[in-house]
Amino acid sequence: MENTILLIVGGVVLGIILGYIIAKVLEKNNASKLIKNAQEESNSIIRQANAEGESIKKDKLLQAKEKFIELKSEHEKIILSRDKKIAEAEKRTRDKESQVSSELAKNKKLSQEIEDKIKDYDFRLEFLEKKKEEVDKAHKSQIKQLEVISGLSAEEAKAQLVESLKHEAKADAMAYIQDTLEEAKLTAQQDAKKIIINTIQRIGTEEAIDNCVSVFNIESDDVKGRIIGREGRNIRAIEAATGVEIIVDDTPEAIILSCFDSVRREVARLSLHKLVTDGRIHPAKIEEVVQKTQKQIEQEIIEVGKRTVIDLGIHGLHPELIKLVGRMKYRSSYGQNLLQHSREVAKLCGVMAAELGLNPKIAKRAGLLHDIGKVPDSEADMETPHAILGMQWAEKYGEKPEVCNAIGAHHDEIEMTTLLAPIIQVCDAISGARPGARRQVLDSYIQRLKDLEDVAFGFNGVNKAYAIQAGRELRVMVESERVSDEQAANLSFEISQKIQTDMTYPGQVKVTVIRETRAVNIAK
């Protein structure tokens, strides 16, 4: 029994050992197969990887070659562009060198010419000095010969010369008397009427826009028919005599007189008034009344000129210049009455000249006469700029050189030679640019004020901005928390510079920056 058990146990153990050995052998065979398969698969992967690597290598090489060719092409383009720029720079340099050489040659030539001229002038000066000595000697010799020939001494000859000068002085005196008589004719009627000027007050100039039409009011529409006349003969006679277009339309109790020349318009208005008042309206009467009215207007022009000169305290003005001053009453410049403008400029010039320590009387004189060229007598005069024409008239009628220069230079048409000229120019600009003085389109005026305020709002810290005094002042309110006192001063300067560079405006614009600090508490 025990042997049987041992045999069984031994058989089991032997079976286990044999099974283990057989399993190991099978496992080894399987492992070798797996290793062989793995090696074959790895070799296949390696071969495939090598093939793909070669393909990738070829692609990369091809891409590198293409990139190299592209970079080479771009590099060649850059090199060509640089070569072209260098060539152009060299050409400009050569041109500059040739230009500089040419200029140097010209300068050298001019220097040589100047030296030659200086030598020539020195030679001429020396020659003239020698000639002067010879002339002096000849003059003395001639005087001695004349004394011998004439039997007169030098003193006796001087006495005869003085006698001849007396006759010339008498002729000059007669010419002066003639000018005085002409001036007396201008003042005769004023003296006869005994018009006395009690006071001369400085007042603000009232501005009135002059138009090209005047309205003649009538009492009833029946007068229109009498003014028109049979088949329009009366109205044709009035238009022919006055040079004014008369418009008779459906406007009740009114007739329109149209003409760019305000003098002719005033003659027509006064003539119509006289004809309607008299009641006799026919061509012969019309011509008579128009002639009388023209003489009346001419006399009124002289009186207006004389009153203007007296009001401004200007003395010794030539009678013809007084007439020109009077005619300015019936002329306008951009809608501004020319006489009112000239009076205002004269007053401004007087004040400014006094402040600068200059002669205010001369300044007033130049200010009054600066626009006399705007009242020409003929069409030929209209072709000349009014500043030059006014200067020519002032020279013709004996005004001082500084006054003539100020008249001619107030629009920079000639060079300014005295301090009086810029004063006239500034005062003319002040009078013309003052609000209400001249016509201005309302939309553009409002837009300019808006643009002025928008400039201020473009800066940081600005709370409010108002353009006041017709755009002459810009008042800016800033936030005290964001803008200090020093920054407020800088802000005022920066805004003024911005306006000066970005905007177009007449005169000056004052920029006022206001910074206010408030402390508010509530008691409950």
Side-chain angles (χ1 to χ4, degrees):
M1 188 68 177
E2 289 180 358
N3 290 330
T4 303
I5 293 170
L6 288 171
L7 288 172
I8 292 169
V9 171
V12 171
V13 171
L14 182 61
I16 293 170
I17 292 170
L18 290 173
Y20 178 75
I21 291 170
I22 293 169
K24 285 292 184 179
V25 171
L26 293 173
E27 183 180 357
K28 185 176 181 181
N29 292 331
N30 291 332
S32 61
K33 288 180 180 179
L34 289 171
I35 289 169
K36 185 177 181 181
N37 293 332
Q39 287 179 350
E40 290 177 356
E41 187 176 356
S42 63
N43 291 331
S44 175
I45 290 171
I46 289 170
R47 286 193 300 270
Q48 186 178 358
N50 289 331
E52 290 179 355
E54 289 295 330
S55 177
I56 292 171
K57 183 179 179 181
K58 290 180 180 179
D59 292 338
K60 292 296 181 181
L61 288 173
L62 182 61
Q63 291 178 3
K65 288 181 180 179
E66 291 177 353
K67 188 67 176 179
F68 175 75
I69 293 171
E70 183 180 352
L71 292 174
K72 184 179 179 182
S73 176
E74 291 181 356
H75 183 66
E76 289 177 351
K77 289 181 180 179
I78 293 172
I79 291 173
L80 289 174
S81 176
R82 289 180 179 176
D83 291 342
K84 185 177 180 181
K85 290 182 180 179
I86 291 170
E88 291 177 354
E90 290 177 351
K91 183 180 179 182
R92 289 196 298 269
T93 304
R94 289 195 298 270
D95 294 341
K96 288 290 184 181
E97 289 177 353
S98 62
Q99 186 178 359
V100 170
S101 301
S102 177
E103 292 293 334
L104 288 175
K106 289 181 181 179
N107 292 335
K108 186 175 181 181
K109 184 178 179 182
L110 289 174
S111 299
Q112 186 64 35
E113 291 178 356
I114 291 171
E115 290 179 359
D116 295 340
K117 288 183 179 180
I118 291 172
K119 291 180 181 179
D120 185 41
Y121 290 152
D122 292 339
F123 175 75
R124 291 184 180 183
L125 182 61
E126 183 179 357
F127 179 75
L128 288 174
E129 288 178 353
K130 291 181 181 179
K131 284 293 182 181
K132 183 179 179 182
E133 292 177 359
E134 294 177 359
V135 169
D136 291 339
K137 292 180 181 178
H139 180 66
K140 293 178 181 179
S141 175
Q142 188 178 13
I143 290 175
K144 291 181 180 179
Q145 292 178 1
L146 288 174
E147 289 178 352
V148 173
I149 294 172
S150 62
L152 296 174
S153 64
E155 294 298 328
E156 292 174 346
K158 287 181 181 179
Q160 292 184 1
L161 180 60
V162 169
E163 187 66 25
S164 64
L165 289 175
K166 286 181 180 180
H167 291 292
E168 293 182 3
K170 288 181 180 179
D172 293 340
M174 291 299 294
Y176 176 76
I177 292 171
Q178 185 66 28
D179 292 338
T180 305
L181 288 175
E182 291 181 0
E183 186 175 358
K185 291 178 182 179
L186 295 176
T187 58
Q189 188 172 1
Q190 184 179 7
D191 293 338
K193 293 181 179 180
K194 299 180 180 180
I195 299 175
I196 300 173
I197 300 176
N198 296 321
T199 56
I200 299 175
Q201 298 178 345
R202 296 179 62 178
I203 59 173
T205 306
E206 296 181 358
E207 295 297 335
I209 302 298
D210 288 344
N211 298 314
C212 291
V213 296
S214 296
V215 178
F216 177 72
N217 297 317
I218 55 179
E219 296 179 357
S220 65
D221 291 338
D222 294 337
V223 180
K224 289 184 179 180
R226 295 167 55 195
I227 292 175
I228 295 172
R230 182 178 298 174
E231 298 178 354
R233 63 175 187 174
N234 290 344
I235 197 169
R236 287 197 299 270
I238 296 173
E239 289 179 346
T242 60
V244 174
E245 182 181 2
I246 300 177
I247 302 172
V248 181
D249 54 14
D250 296 333
T251 305
E253 299 181 356
I255 293 175
I256 297 175
L257 310 177
S258 176
C259 180
F260 73 94
D261 191 335
S262 53
V263 176
R264 298 208 300 261
R265 219 165 54 236
E266 183 67 9
V267 170
R269 189 187 67 81
L270 292 177
S271 299
L272 278 175
H273 178 72
K274 292 179 180 178
L275 289 168
V276 172
T277 303
D278 185 71
R280 295 174 295 172
I281 305 177
H282 52 84
K285 184 66 176 179
I286 289 170
E287 293 178 0
E288 178 184 355
V289 171
V290 169
Q291 289 178 359
K292 290 182 179 179
T293 305
Q294 287 175 345
K295 293 180 180 179
Q296 179 183 345
I297 291 294
E298 291 176 0
Q299 189 60 40
E300 183 180 350
I301 287 173
I302 295 173
E303 291 179 359
V304 167
K306 193 65 179 178
R307 284 198 303 271
T308 302
V309 170
I310 293 174
D311 290 342
L312 294 175
I314 297 173
H315 304 286
L317 201 65
H318 194 278
E320 292 299 325
L321 293 179
I322 293 177
K323 289 182 181 178
L324 293 173
V325 171
R327 288 178 62 188
M328 287 195 292
K329 177 183 177 182
Y330 299 99
R331 291 289 186 276
S332 63
S333 176
Y334 298 100
Q336 185 181 24
N337 183 271
L338 196 57
L339 180 59
Q340 295 294 337
H341 166 64
S342 299
R343 287 170 62 96
E344 187 175 10
V345 171
K347 291 178 181 179
L348 290 170
C349 290
V351 174
M352 191 174 292
E355 290 292 332
L356 295 174
L358 302 176
N359 190 339
K361 293 184 178 180
I362 298 295
K364 281 186 178 181
R365 197 182 194 96
L368 178 64
L369 299 177
H370 81 283
D371 269 349
I372 57 174
K374 289 185 178 180
V375 286
D377 287 324
S378 61
E379 293 183 0
D381 291 336
M382 293 177 68
E383 297 177 357
T384 306
H386 75 273
I388 303 299
L389 182 61
M391 180 185 69
Q392 293 173 353
W393 283 348
E395 290 174 347
K396 178 181 179 181
Y397 297 122
E399 289 298 319
K400 294 182 178 180
E402 55 264 33
V403 175
C404 298
N405 178 259
I407 296 172
H410 78 277
H411 283 311
D412 294 326
E413 286 167 328
I414 64 171
E415 184 180 0
M416 298 181 181
T417 59
T418 65
L419 286 176
L420 185 60
I423 292 176
I424 302 301
Q425 188 179 54
V426 170
C427 293
D428 180 51
I430 291 172
S431 175
R434 191 163 48 76
R438 296 185 176 183
R439 286 193 182 101
Q440 191 172 17
V441 179
L442 181 60
D443 293 338
S444 63
Y445 169 75
I446 295 174
Q447 185 62 41
R448 183 170 66 84
L449 297 186
K450 289 181 179 179
D451 293 341
L452 197 61
E453 294 177 352
D454 291 340
V455 169
F457 283 119
F459 291 83
N460 294 327
V462 176
N463 187 19
K464 297 178 182 179
Y466 301 108
I468 61 176
Q469 294 185 6
R472 295 296 181 274
E473 181 177 355
L474 180 63
R475 192 159 294 176
V476 182
M477 272 70 81
V478 298
E479 298 175 4
S480 58
E481 296 83 5
R482 299 177 59 185
V483 180
S484 63
D485 289 337
E486 294 180 358
Q487 291 173 343
N490 293 333
L491 182 63
S492 175
F493 175 78
E494 291 174 359
I495 292 174
S496 65
Q497 293 299 308
K498 183 74 171 176
I499 294 171
Q500 185 173 342
T501 55
D502 294 352
M503 295 189 64
T504 302
Y505 53 91
Q508 297 178 344
V509 177
K510 178 182 178 183
V511 179
T512 304
V513 175
I514 301 172
R515 179 181 180 270
E516 182 181 22
T517 303
R518 293 187 181 184
V520 179
N521 290 290
I522 299 174
K524 296 182 180 179

